[in-house]
Amino acid sequence: MYLVHVHLWASSASGRLPHTTAADITGHAEEYEGLLHVSVHPDPEDRPVVGVYLRAASLAEAEAAAVRVWQLAQTALPSLAGWTLLRAEVPLLPQALPNPPPQPPT
């Protein structure tokens, strides 16, 4: 399972993402193979992040699948029309590495 962050941007005319965005995306992409869950981090309001949890064979496939899920939802939902996808990426967390690199002395 992968969590892919879909980073968005909107002009000031777009306002905030609707509070139903996660459910709306799930509803329009629920038949997409591998989609497990969608969450929305609405702040900052002009650059929200949509979290897409899905099953995929690799990190690259997960990121590509999250883009497709976003595109499906954006095509179907007029409330998402004014939003631009900036990037879709799995957040890599250094503390999740088995042997994190040593920290420089302070």
Side-chain angles (χ1 to χ4, degrees):
M1 178 176 75
Y2 290 91
L3 163 60
V4 181
H5 283 170
V6 176
H7 296 263
L8 305 173
W9 175 82
S11 66
S12 59
S14 295
R16 294 182 70 87
L17 279 176
H19 70 280
T20 59
T21 298
D24 292 343
I25 291 172
T26 302
H28 283 86
E30 67 186 343
E31 294 180 15
Y32 188 83
E33 186 175 331
L35 180 64
L36 300 171
H37 179 72
V38 177
S39 64
V40 175
H41 307 280
D43 294 312
E45 65 183 57
D46 67 335
R47 290 189 187 261
V49 175
V50 175
V52 180
Y53 294 82
L54 44 80
R55 283 187 212 96
S58 70
L59 186 143
E61 287 181 24
E63 291 172 339
V67 169
R68 288 191 299 274
V69 165
W70 169 256
Q71 290 169 337
L72 283 170
Q74 191 177 38
T75 299
L77 300 166
S79 62
L80 302 180
W83 295 89
T84 300
L85 181 134
L86 296 175
R87 64 187 182 281
E89 60 190 12
V90 171
L92 301 178
L93 307 173
Q95 64 269 26
L97 298 174
N99 295 309
Q103 297 296 317
T106 55

